[in-house]
Amino acid sequence: MIPRLGVNIDHVATIRQARKTVEPDPSAAALIAENAGADGITVHLREDRRHINDRDVKLLRKTIKSRLNLEMSINPLIVKIACQIKPDQATLVPEKRQEITTEGGLDIIAQEKKIKNIVNKLKLKGIWVSLFVEADRGQLKAAKRVNADAIELHTGTYANAKTETSINRQLDRLLKAAKLAKSLDLHVYAGHGLNYQNTAKLLKKIPEIEELNIGHSIVSRAVLNGMDEAVRTMKVLIQAI
Ligand code: PXP
């Protein structure tokens, strides 16, 4: 089975928000990503709206043809928005105001009842629910208990590992977690920090992975690959005067 690619376009919105203007529009990026083969579009509607905002999510819901995966905290206002927008998939993530990006997996055990209620609420709206978790036995079992459909394994520690030994240790850890999740009848996804160097190795090691969510490395490559055309077009415009 070839894993699905969910393209996270948060950082297209980050560039827009650097000037609080209207470009680049994440919904335009989503359509290009879909035309290039993206199997889904992933966005994180953060409580502080630092990149993706409510208008983006509403527009994406109307315009994309693939699957909309909404990364979200368990904040009641965000849960309410998710129930109104009805993305195809909701991925519950922990969220701290000061963090640069999602720092770790969701602590399901610490708030099991609350998360179970939210999972059930989302599922009643027909939303497929995934939980972003560490490769931890206890958390995976808790994911099953709260009725999640899937788990997304946090690959950040693997992505940050520098030596061969630590990379292999992280891969073994993720493989063990993927096998356990599958035995619990949970679908297995993975994401965070994946790039053009570390993704193939992860997939070769862990065939259980059905979906990847990748953002920063794809948006970074898009910026660099587009730079040549962008400068040439501006030069043509200036020289034409
Ligand atoms: N999956 C989850 C749950 C995330 O929170 C993020 C970051 O928003 C990603 C995947 C994508 O991570 P990256 O931007 O490092 O590819």
Side-chain angles (χ1 to χ4, degrees):
M1 181 193 51
I2 299 172
R4 294 188 297 270
L5 171 62
V7 177
N8 181 315
I9 54 171
D10 289 350
H11 296 306
V12 174
T14 300
I15 298 175
R16 177 190 62 192
Q17 294 315 105
R19 287 290 171 89
K20 300 209 181 340
T21 177
V22 294
E23 67 172 7
D25 193 324
S27 58
L31 298 184
I32 297 170
E34 281 187 329
N35 283 339
D39 301 296
I41 299 298
T42 297
V43 288
H44 186 172
L45 183 69
R46 294 188 76 102
E47 290 163 25
D48 63 9
R49 309 296 198 271
R50 68 172 73 154
H51 38 53
I52 293 293
N53 60 33
D54 302 61
R55 169 260 183 208
D56 296 329
V57 184
K58 280 186 201 147
L59 195 56
L60 286 165
R61 176 67 296 181
K62 286 192 198 144
T63 54
I64 67 168
K65 295 176 279 308
S66 60
R67 295 176 79 243
L68 178 62
N69 173 25
L70 183 68
E71 288 178 7
M72 52 181 280
S73 73
I74 56 170
N75 174 300
L77 283 176
I78 298 286
V79 174
K80 195 171 164 201
I81 292 170
C83 287
Q84 284 163 358
I85 297 212
K86 298 195 190 79
D88 300 283
Q89 178 172 313
T91 302
L92 301 188
V93 299
E95 193 174 310
K96 291 192 215 110
R97 284 282 160 116
Q98 285 79 22
E99 68 190 357
I100 291 173
T101 181
T102 314
E103 279 169 356
L106 197 61
D107 189 351
I108 308 167
I109 299 167
Q111 39 196 348
E112 201 164 319
K113 203 168 158 207
K114 191 172 172 186
I115 292 177
K116 189 171 186 173
N117 284 337
I118 294 170
V119 171
N120 288 339
K121 206 168 177 178
L122 293 166
K123 286 177 80 165
L124 275 175
K125 294 281 177 188
I127 303 167
W128 182 260
V129 182
S130 174
L131 305 181
F132 186 52
V133 288
E134 294 295 334
D136 176 272
R137 208 178 157 77
Q139 295 293 348
L140 292 168
K141 288 187 168 175
K144 183 65 192 172
R145 287 196 300 274
V146 300
N147 294 335
D149 297 299
I151 50 96
E152 179 173 331
L153 291 172
H154 188 309
T155 49
T157 313
Y158 160 65
N160 288 334
K162 297 273 183 287
T163 65
E164 196 69 16
T165 314
S166 56
I167 290 170
N168 287 333
R169 195 181 312 126
Q170 291 307 322
L171 284 172
D172 287 340
R173 202 176 139 243
L174 289 165
L175 177 63
K176 222 164 129 189
K179 283 186 187 298
L180 172 64
K182 193 128 195 229
S183 76
L184 294 168
D185 216 16
L186 288 162
H187 292 265
V188 180
Y189 308 155
H192 216 282
L194 297 178
N195 58 32
Y196 296 85
Q197 287 74 45
N198 60 23
T199 300
K201 201 167 188 176
L202 177 80
L203 289 179
K204 272 188 206 135
K205 177 86 180 183
I206 311 176
E208 286 80 4
I209 295 174
E210 294 171 46
E211 175 180 302
L212 296 173
N213 285 297
I214 308 182
H216 190 265
S217 63
I218 291 180
V219 175
S220 301
R221 192 177 175 105
V223 169
L224 293 189
N225 283 357
M227 187 60 84
D228 183 271
E229 187 278 332
V231 173
R232 281 176 201 280
T233 305
M234 186 58 82
K235 280 290 282 186
V236 168
L237 184 155
I238 292 166
Q239 283 161 356
I241 301 297

